[in-house]
Amino acid sequence: MEPRLNWVRKARWMNSGFPGLSEELSRERNPMDKVSVLQQQMLTLTEEVKSQKELVKLLHKALEAAQQEKRVSSMYLTAAEDKDRLELVRHKVRQIADLTSRLEALEKEKKELEQMLSLRDSHIQELKEHVQLLMEKNHAKQEVIMALTEQMARELSDPLQEANTVTAETLYKQQEEIEHLKDDIDAYKTQNQFLNSEIHQVTRLWTSVAENEKALLMKCACLQARNCQMESKYLMVLRKLQEAMPDLPSSHSELVRNLIQEALQWDVKEGGEEGFNLNPVSEYDEYGFMTVPEYEVEDWKLLAKIQALEIKSNNLRSQEVVEKPLRDRWNSVGELSPSAELKSLIRSGIPVEHRQRVWRWIVSRHCSHLPDHYQQLLRQSRSTEHPACRQIELDLPRTMTNNKHFSSPTSQLIPKLRRVLLAFSWHNPAIGYCQGLNRLAAVALLVLEDEESAFWCLVHIVENLMPADYYSDTLITSQVDQRVFKDFLSEKLPRLMAHFEQHRIDVSLITFNWFLVVFVDSLVSDILLRVWDAFLYEGTKVIFRYALAIFKYNEEEILRIHDSVEIYQYLRFFTRMIMDGRKLMNIAFNDLNPFPMKLLRNRRSMHREELEAELCELEQIKAAYVKERAEQGTQDLKEVVSEEEEEI
């Protein structure tokens, strides 16, 4: 209660007024001084009002506490029983214990705060020492800077003194040189403007010439395409005349023969003699295949020349429309990764400059190149002769005779092909070597060029793309595929299949080799490599697609032939007369859809079961025949012995 009484006394004293205020105002005569005194007094009164408000708040709190104590005391006095009073006392005891615990917690917190304060004081002291150290360093740096500044000022003052000693004559010469330089600059500016205008005019002329050149090249390509078409039609007329030669007079027949001989002479240098040729036709293409194969039959030679002219015409016409946009798309392809866009690009055909890279990527995705594996196989083939070595040597001279890289025993790729086939025969002893593998490896060598890459490409084809037992001794899976192909031919081309059945044509005699070597020696090189592009990426269903597309491409021609011998003769070479690769590709991948792989697997499984059952039945018949022949031989021997006994 003592602080409360002090506040009450202070309040009474404040209410008694300011006894010295009137005297102070009476002493100040200046109004401004009086105003300042009053302002000071007002501030004092404001502070006192705040104090009074705080006093009122404290008195309210004291009053509430007193009223609370009064209520508790009255409850204690009015309690009727000791039990109630005891409960009140217990409540107070609990409050006291609670307050005591709170007080202990506050004291503990106070000690922690004091410790923190001491730590902070020590930290502040350390910071002060650090600041003092930094200030000393800064002071030392400022002294160094001042010393360096004075030194620089002294050094700069020396050239100025020397400059002051330059004579007026030297300054005059320098001014003259500056004037000459200004004149040169103006002259160069004028000359630069003139040259810029000249360059602009030359650029316009160059652009115009480039556009004219492009237009002329396009016109030249169109003219060459028309020329090829006209020459092709001319050769077709000669061929028709050749067929009708028995009905012609002898003089006319001789004239037709001479014209055919002239047409068959392939002049490689005819473009050079003309002085300009947009797309010169050489005897061999980029991979060494003969553009016009040297057939023994004269009629076939004429057909091959017609085919070469048609292919050249198609290439010239599609150069700007198809080939250039396709090359631009391939040039924009960076890192290769499987996608629908890449699949579409590969089906359209890989340009020559990108084919090797894409083939290597396709093979590496499916074959893990074991380090030094190929070299180990070569060492093994050198140390031990493989049983298939003799057959490989027999087939090497017969490999792609229409290609300059394999046409003679001294050709440069023959030794590489030999090593690849021998390495594969040791790599896969279950197959060893099968006729047809030489053609597959040869195509891989032509494109990939490297022996080891060609070896792994052959492994990818035989072990990943083709079904098992495709190149085994029995060729059972190859026979199964021929039956599957006949089913597809009946579904996709029913008129053609009915035509074959009517004339008892077994298409497997023609198509078996297509499947075994993936159309090598059947299609022209340009179309063949497009087929291989899609085949390496998608698998064997591409072979079925293109085999059906080939028959679709020539369906009407085949349907016009009604003699079985003529049909077989036509089927022997009709694939070489396919000239429009784009049309064949559209038939294979657009007209023949849908072509699900699941259907192909199911058909293979069904026909394999049937073929295995037939082979098993055939083996039983053979075994029974051998047994019967053995028993018959024993019986004949007994009869011979009995006859000899009778004679004796």
Side-chain angles (χ1 to χ4, degrees), residues 398-425:
R398 296 180 289 189
T399 302
M400 289 198 293
T401 55
N402 63 334
N403 190 289
K404 67 179 181 180
H405 299 298
F406 300 99
S407 57
S408 70
T410 58
S411 298
Q412 55 183 351
L413 291 186
I414 291 290
K416 293 184 178 181
L417 180 61
R418 179 186 292 110
R419 289 193 291 270
V420 170
L421 294 175
L422 287 173
F424 181 82
S425 63

Side-chain angles (χ1 to χ4, degrees), residues 227-237 306 309-310:
N227 182 42
C228 290
Q229 283 190 335
M230 293 299 296
E231 192 174 351
S232 173
K233 291 177 181 177
Y234 167 71
L235 294 176
M236 287 295 293
V237 171
I306 295 170
L309 291 168
E310 288 290 339

Side-chain angles (χ1 to χ4, degrees), residues 455-516:
F455 165 76
W456 287 112
C457 183
L458 182 62
V459 171
H460 173 54
I461 293 171
V462 176
E463 298 182 0
N464 297 331
L465 298 180
M466 293 299 193
D469 298 330
Y470 216 86
Y471 298 98
S472 63
D473 295 336
T474 59
L475 300 174
I476 182 170
T477 313
S478 302
Q479 298 179 55
V480 168
D481 272 4
Q482 294 307 305
R483 298 190 178 193
V484 174
F485 178 69
K486 289 179 182 178
D487 287 352
F488 287 147
L489 196 61
S490 299
E491 295 171 8
K492 302 288 184 179
L493 302 171
R495 285 197 309 148
L496 186 63
M497 192 61 186
H499 186 69
F500 286 150
E501 291 175 352
Q502 179 184 355
H503 295 282
R504 297 181 180 180
I505 302 297
D506 185 4
V507 293
S508 62
L509 297 175
I510 306 298
T511 59
F512 188 84
N513 193 55
W514 295 0
F515 282 73
L516 198 65

Side-chain angles (χ1 to χ4, degrees), residues 461-635:
I461 293 171
V462 176
E463 298 182 0
N464 297 331
L465 298 180
M466 293 299 193
D469 298 330
Y470 216 86
Y471 298 98
S472 63
D473 295 336
T474 59
L475 300 174
I476 182 170
T477 313
S478 302
Q479 298 179 55
V480 168
D481 272 4
Q482 294 307 305
R483 298 190 178 193
V484 174
F485 178 69
K486 289 179 182 178
D487 287 352
F488 287 147
L489 196 61
S490 299
E491 295 171 8
K492 302 288 184 179
L493 302 171
R495 285 197 309 148
L496 186 63
M497 192 61 186
H499 186 69
F500 286 150
E501 291 175 352
Q502 179 184 355
H503 295 282
R504 297 181 180 180
I505 302 297
D506 185 4
V507 293
S508 62
L509 297 175
I510 306 298
T511 59
F512 188 84
N513 193 55
W514 295 0
F515 282 73
L516 198 65
V517 297
V518 196
F519 300 103
V520 178
D521 292 334
S522 297
L523 295 171
V524 295
S525 59
D526 181 58
I527 300 175
L528 171 68
L529 292 171
R530 291 185 188 181
V531 174
W532 271 62
D533 294 338
F535 164 68
L536 290 177
Y537 187 72
E538 298 184 49
T540 51
K541 68 176 181 180
V542 173
I543 304 178
F544 285 92
R545 281 183 178 275
Y546 270 100
L548 291 169
I550 289 170
F551 281 109
K552 178 69 175 177
Y553 190 98
N554 296 276
E555 183 178 15
E556 298 302 325
E557 291 289 334
I558 299 171
L559 290 175
R560 281 195 286 267
I561 305 174
H562 296 283
D563 182 76
S564 58
V565 176
E566 290 184 10
I567 292 174
Y568 274 120
Q569 288 178 347
Y570 181 77
L571 293 180
R572 284 181 60 194
F573 68 88
F574 81 114
T575 56
R576 304 289 304 183
M577 301 309 299
I578 296 175
M579 293 159 283
D580 194 345
R582 294 288 165 195
K583 178 182 176 182
L584 187 67
M585 184 264 294
N586 287 326
I587 295 173
F589 294 109
N590 297 326
D591 297 350
L592 295 177
N593 278 336
F595 207 95
M597 194 66 187
K598 183 178 180 181
L599 176 63
L600 178 59
R601 293 194 191 97
N602 292 339
R603 293 287 176 86
R604 276 175 168 167
S605 177
M606 178 185 71
H607 284 292
R608 188 181 180 92
E609 291 178 1
E610 294 177 357
L611 184 60
E612 287 177 347
E614 292 175 7
L615 292 175
C616 183
E617 184 179 355
L618 183 62
E619 289 295 328
Q620 291 176 359
I621 293 172
K622 287 172 63 178
Y625 175 75
V626 170
K627 183 179 180 182
E628 182 181 352
R629 291 289 296 174
E631 291 176 353
Q632 186 177 357
T634 305
Q635 185 66 30

Side-chain angles (χ1 to χ4, degrees), residues 279-333:
N279 288 299
V281 179
S282 61
E283 190 176 359
Y284 298 94
D285 64 5
E286 298 90 345
Y287 295 102
F289 290 98
M290 294 182 67
T291 312
V292 180
E294 295 180 353
Y295 292 115
E296 296 179 359
V297 183
E298 189 173 286
D299 191 19
W300 287 11
K301 290 182 181 179
L302 191 59
L303 288 173
K305 185 71 177 290
I306 295 170
Q307 168 213 15
L309 291 168
E310 288 290 339
I311 290 174
K312 180 183 176 183
S313 175
N314 290 331
N315 290 339
L316 288 170
R317 290 181 178 276
S318 64
Q319 189 67 33
E320 288 293 325
V321 180
V322 179
E323 298 299 332
K324 189 176 183 300
L326 182 63
R327 275 186 163 80
D328 293 339
R329 289 177 64 189
W330 272 106
N331 291 333
S332 64
V333 174

Side-chain angles (χ1 to χ4, degrees), residues 119 167 187 220 237 379 459 510:
L119 291 173
T167 61
C220 183
V237 171
R379 287 193 291 270
V459 171
I510 306 298

Side-chain angles (χ1 to χ4, degrees), residues 237-257 259-260:
V237 171
L238 288 179
R239 183 170 177 270
K240 295 293 183 183
L241 289 173
Q242 186 184 32
E243 293 175 354
M245 281 179 73
D247 300 331
L248 294 175
S250 59
S251 59
H252 294 173
S253 299
E254 184 66 24
L255 178 62
V256 170
R257 285 195 202 91
L259 291 175
I260 291 173

